[in-house]
Amino acid sequence: MSAQPGLIDLQIMWNRLIAVVGEQAQVLIRTAFSPIVRECGDISAGIFDLQGRMLAQAVTGTPGHVNSMAEAVKHFIRHFPLDTMREGDAFITNDPWMGTGHLNDFVITTPAFHDGKLVGLFSCTSHLMDIGGLGNGPEASDVFMEGLYIPMLKLIDRGTVNETLMAMIRANTRLPVDTEGDTYSLAACNDVGVRALSAMMAEFGITSLEPLADYIIERSREAVLAEIAKLPKGSWTHSMTIDGYDHPLTLQATLTITDSNIHVDYTGTSAAVARGINVPLAYTTAYTCFGIGCVVAAEIPNNAGSLAPLTVSAPVGAILNAEKPAPVSARHIIGQMLPDMVFGCLRQALPDRVPAEGTSCIWNIVVRGARPAGHGPNHGYAMTITTNGGTGARPRQDGLSATAYPSGVAGTPVEIAEIQSPLMFWRKELRADSGGAGRTRGGLGQVMEIENRDNAPFELLAAFDRIQFPPRGRDGGGDGAAGYVGLGSGAALRGKGLQVIPPGERLVVLTPGGGGLGEPAARDRGRVSADLRDGLISAETAARHGSIAAE
């Protein structure tokens, strides 16, 4: 091939890069120890050029990981200059402000060499179940209480593992086997990416990624700018009240569309709080840009070029721009609300393209407890059971039930949770009547009842929202049902904070439903009949909204 590939060649190579990072991601998922990775896909994987620009990301992965990792690689290059990188090296951090927002996410970056020359970098991240400290809940009053804090370090030096670092990692977790295994799975998936990239470059006869990188970045940027050009220009403001930790909080956004940019500013948002629901700006940016992209650039590949016209700001010290050492362990609770904030602004300009509010924040049931002596090499069990509420109604379709939007992670299968822990799920089903009524209905939440079959207590590290302030409907649509956490005996539990579930008690979790869109009386009667038949709504609900007479 010539030194300057043609446009068709560049497009083929771009598609191959996407395939390469897809393979990278699948290796991570298939070799991981933590169920939240191998069963739920809570990861990201991508390839970067020597400027730290993300060229391609795996389709599998969460926006909070992918879009924050997009900036993390630049931090790695700053700490480990390119001319010091060698074949077989790998670098690691879980710094929330240079990684993906909290300590439970390890980020590993590996330099990629082809014919002895550094040509790019692979990076990946995944959620680890336990990295010590108070655990993956909001109880800490600073980040140092939340677990092991790994600065920018070299994990592997020319193929030799940093055994001192690995010993530190094993010693600072309740799950040493799982945590060590997950660390190696991250390194391994990057190695697979490196080999696949070198094979691709040999096949196409190229010695540098620079022409391809420039093509990807420029074409993607141009495509987003073309979509922005079609939009109305101006500024729109939206606000939302959420539960907070011990008092309600306000999120406020102003979205401005110009000819060359969409900017979201969070001035007016509440200040950071003393518990671990604060959000580093990188995570704020990640989910804000994802929300914009869903409406404006849904068909354009996600990379540094497509992200460039989308910018975000928040006042220093606001809960969406919390500074170190603020506690940030449960940053997803607020961070995942931000696409709804974007939609609230955009629906004033593009009312037919955005949904009503959904649960948004994933309802992770984070549990831990002891096991009988001799029950494996770990110190008890610690598990994040991913569960989801309903999404908001869409302009032409109902919301999705029990679906993780915007995080995109799959729900933890009951069978896996019961194998990995002594917990028993007595009930897991859709929550009837939880979706907000409307011309299009909000998605349904879930009902779950969980008990420890060891007849022992277990800890719940609660980090839930939408309990006091449920997802709002719009244009006459009803609100989704509020979430609930309690005991089978009837006592309500707090939505956030460490709580103990006594022996013999069942933990009851009701996830929220999504908001409805449009007047309920305008709903198609055939859809109402189908909802009744499927048990998604009651006859009383249908009659109350004037959609159909109760039978």
Side-chain angles (χ1 to χ4, degrees), residues 87 112-119 194 198-199 201-202 205-208:
E87 289 192 64
F113 286 79
H114 175 64
D115 290 341
K117 175 185 174 184
L118 179 63
V119 292
V194 169
S198 183
M201 294 180 69
I206 59 174
T207 59
S208 170

Side-chain angles (χ1 to χ4, degrees), residues 16-17 20 23 47 87 111-117 119-120 122 190-207 209:
R16 281 290 297 275
L17 279 189
V20 166
E23 182 180 359
I47 182 172
E87 289 192 64
F113 286 79
H114 175 64
D115 290 341
K117 175 185 174 184
V119 292
F122 281 87
N190 280 356
D191 288 344
V192 168
V194 169
R195 291 197 295 271
L197 175 65
S198 183
M200 182 202 108
M201 294 180 69
E203 177 182 341
F204 286 95
I206 59 174
T207 59
L209 290 180

Side-chain angles (χ1 to χ4, degrees), residues 48-282:
F48 298 74
D49 71 1
L50 298 181
Q51 299 177 49
R53 300 181 299 178
M54 184 170 69
L55 304 183
Q57 65 158 96
V59 175
T60 299
T62 68
H65 283 167
V66 171
N67 287 353
S68 55
M69 183 186 71
E71 293 300 314
V73 171
K74 296 174 184 176
H75 293 297
F76 278 104
I77 293 174
R78 180 164 53 87
H79 282 80
F80 304 100
L82 296 175
D83 60 4
T84 68
M85 294 182 179
R86 301 292 181 265
E87 289 192 64
D89 287 352
F91 309 96
I92 187 173
T93 192
N94 68 343
D95 185 306
W97 288 269
M98 291 189 287
T100 63
H102 71 173
L103 297 178
N104 281 76
D105 293 340
F106 283 9
V107 184
I108 292 183
T109 296
T110 302
F113 286 79
H114 175 64
D115 290 341
K117 175 185 174 184
L118 179 63
V119 292
L121 301 107
F122 281 87
S123 194
C124 60
T125 185
S126 71
H127 182 98
L128 283 76
M129 288 292 189
D130 184 271
I131 40 88
L134 293 178
N136 189 204
E139 292 285 71
S141 58
D142 63 41
V143 70
F144 305 111
M145 299 172 68
E146 294 182 325
L148 177 66
Y149 197 128
I150 304 174
M152 288 279 177
L153 292 176
K154 183 177 282 190
L155 174 67
I156 304 174
D157 185 358
R158 303 188 190 190
T160 300
V161 174
N162 184 337
E163 295 294 349
T164 301
L165 175 56
M166 291 304 302
M168 290 292 294
I169 290 173
R170 288 192 298 269
N172 283 276
T173 172
R174 301 169 182 86
L175 307 176
V177 173
D178 302 51
T179 304
E180 180 178 21
D182 284 337
T183 303
Y184 284 129
S185 76
L186 286 160
C189 86
N190 280 356
D191 288 344
V192 168
V194 169
R195 291 197 295 271
L197 175 65
S198 183
M200 182 202 108
M201 294 180 69
E203 177 182 341
F204 286 95
I206 59 174
T207 59
S208 170
L209 290 180
E210 289 182 17
L212 177 58
D214 290 341
Y215 173 79
I216 290 171
I217 299 302
E218 189 56 31
R219 283 299 177 95
S220 300
R221 179 177 172 275
E222 289 174 354
V224 173
L225 290 176
E227 293 301 319
I228 291 175
K230 302 173 186 176
L231 303 177
K233 307 304 183 286
S235 295
W236 298 270
T237 298
H238 179 69
S239 64
M240 179 192 299
T241 302
I242 58 175
D243 296 357
Y245 184 87
D246 52 11
H247 63 274
L249 300 170
T250 296
L251 304 180
Q252 183 161 314
T254 299
L255 182 146
T256 301
I257 302 176
T258 66
D259 291 333
S260 60
N261 173 267
I262 299 179
H263 182 74
V264 179
D265 177 69
Y266 288 104
T267 297
T269 291
S270 295
V273 298
R275 298 296 178 182
I277 60 174
N278 301 295
V279 190
L281 185 59

Side-chain angles (χ1 to χ4, degrees), residues 355-358 389-402 430-445 472-474 476-481 513-520 522-524 526-538 541-542 545 547:
E357 290 181 2
T391 72
R394 295 166 287 177
R396 285 170 289 279
Q397 298 184 69
D398 294 339
L400 300 171
S401 297
L430 291 178
R431 182 185 178 190
D433 286 334
S434 58
R439 177 176 50 80
T440 51
R441 173 183 46 73
L444 275 61
R472 294 174 292 184
R474 70 178 180 91
D479 294 347
L517 196 158
E519 294 292 340
R523 184 166 177 77
D524 178 80
R527 288 188 174 187
V528 176
S529 297
D531 287 347
L532 281 168
R533 182 187 66 242
D534 295 339
L536 305 183
I537 64 171
S538 64
T541 293
H545 292 293
S547 298

